[in-house]
Amino acid sequence: MSSEENHTVAYFYCIRDTKQPKKADPEEILRAILKQLVILLPSHLSAPIKAKYETERKDGKTHGSIRRLRLEECANFIVGLATDRPVSIVIDALDECRDSKYKSSESGHTDRLDLLDRIDEMIAANPSNIKVFLSSRDDGDIRPRLVNYPNIVISASQNGPDILRFIKERVDRLLKKKGRLWRNDERLKEDIINALNQRAGGMFRLPALQIDYLYSLETRQSVLKRLSTLPETLRELHNEIYQQIL
């Protein structure tokens, strides 16, 4: 997050990780954005939000917990904060945000399409002062929602060299951790790099998770077997990880 004299920027990086579920929760995303703006903007602008927090905090003492702001409430407060000065919101890796297929025990759970609805409303309420930058893979439910906004498309061929360099660095780290026998096996190293690069699909996240899985394997044979059955998509890999947890 950052704030210049007349321009404030708030940032959130989404991660779909069972260890950090809030990183993929649309409401937590807007809460984090709102919190940054409250910290960065002049106190007179954030006074209504602080007053709301104090009210909820006092009620929480009675009921045992503080009620968290809902998605729409956060969006409305953000619009209010942007009344007098420009605000830029950056949400990185939106595709990692919880999607509509997510099943929750809570009947009122939100997904990334709900988040996009609120973003649309914020921009419509104050198009001069509210600017939003989103980065995402080309997922089917996200693409049609962004067609009416300026888009910059980066293909797999354009970021391929960066992904390959990333894979090589991570594989070197993997082999060093596994010890001398793996570290000196140049053929194994080449096989891992080629397999991960071929299936990267323009993403850093997919090979990163694949390499994390390889850390758990103990033998050369198990690694080669895994390389021949690598999930083709991030969704398939996430499903595999979830099944292992269940």
Side-chain angles (χ1 to χ4, degrees):
M1 60 183 181
S2 65
S3 181
E4 301 296 335
E5 184 177 352
N6 294 311
H7 189 194
T8 303
V9 179
Y11 170 85
F12 193 93
Y13 176 56
C14 308
I15 302 175
R16 192 175 304 189
D17 186 339
T18 54
K19 296 179 181 178
Q20 304 178 78
K22 291 183 179 181
K23 292 282 190 177
D25 185 332
E27 289 190 336
E28 291 293 344
I29 292 169
L30 272 200
R31 287 180 195 131
I33 295 293
L34 177 60
K35 182 177 180 180
Q36 292 175 54
L37 295 177
V38 168
I39 292 171
L40 293 169
L41 289 169
S43 58
H44 71 278
L45 293 176
S46 58
I49 303 170
K50 293 176 181 177
K52 175 70 172 177
Y53 172 78
E54 286 301 319
T55 299
E56 296 293 346
R57 186 178 65 83
K58 291 176 182 177
D59 290 344
K61 288 183 178 180
T62 302
H63 301 294
S65 63
I66 299 177
R67 186 185 71 85
R68 292 177 175 271
L69 292 178
R70 308 299 293 179
L71 197 65
E72 186 173 0
E73 292 175 299
C74 292
N76 290 337
F77 275 128
I78 291 171
V79 170
L81 289 173
T83 300
D84 298 324
R85 62 186 292 161
V87 167
S88 292
I89 297 169
V90 180
I91 300 177
D92 194 3
L94 177 64
D95 51 280
E96 290 285 296
C97 180
R98 190 166 63 201
D99 61 30
S100 58
K101 295 182 176 62
Y102 175 83
K103 303 298 181 184
S104 172
S105 58
E106 300 179 13
S107 59
H109 81 276
T110 55
D111 58 47
R112 62 198 190 193
L113 297 185
D114 297 315
L115 177 59
L116 286 171
D117 285 340
R118 301 290 85 77
I119 290 174
D120 284 340
E121 292 169 2
M122 288 191 295
I123 294 173
N126 195 341
S128 298
N129 278 4
I130 297 179
K131 308 297 181 183
V132 180
F133 177 88
L134 304 174
S135 75
S136 173
R137 292 197 310 276
D138 194 25
D139 284 9
D141 61 331
I142 295 175
R143 185 190 321 114
R145 295 297 304 272
L146 302 179
V147 293
N148 294 323
Y149 294 104
N151 278 270
I152 299 175
V153 179
I154 300 176
S155 66
S157 61
Q158 290 173 301
N159 67 351
D162 292 330
I163 292 175
L164 179 58
R165 182 165 56 251
F166 168 79
I167 291 172
K168 287 180 177 179
E169 291 174 355
R170 291 292 299 272
V171 170
D172 279 340
R173 195 182 311 168
L174 165 69
L175 297 182
K176 287 178 182 178
K177 184 175 181 179
K178 282 298 183 180
R180 180 175 58 83
L181 292 178
W182 285 40
R183 185 166 61 246
N184 295 333
D185 193 334
E186 289 298 323
R187 178 61 182 275
L188 178 62
K189 177 179 178 179
E190 183 179 342
D191 287 343
I192 294 173
I193 291 172
N194 289 338
L196 295 177
N197 191 47
Q198 289 171 7
R199 291 170 173 80
M203 292 178 281
F204 288 87
R205 185 65 175 162
L206 184 54
L209 289 175
Q210 302 280 24
I211 292 170
D212 288 342
Y213 187 96
L214 293 178
Y215 271 113
S216 67
L217 304 179
E218 298 297 333
T219 67
R220 187 181 193 280
Q221 192 62 34
S222 62
V223 172
L224 293 175
K225 182 179 179 180
R226 175 64 179 178
L227 294 180
S228 66
T229 59
L230 289 174
E232 295 288 341
T233 67
L234 195 57
R235 185 180 299 278
E236 290 176 12
L237 183 55
H238 279 146
N239 289 338
E240 183 181 86
I241 293 171
Y242 292 151
Q243 289 302 316
Q244 292 172 352
I245 295 172
L246 296 177

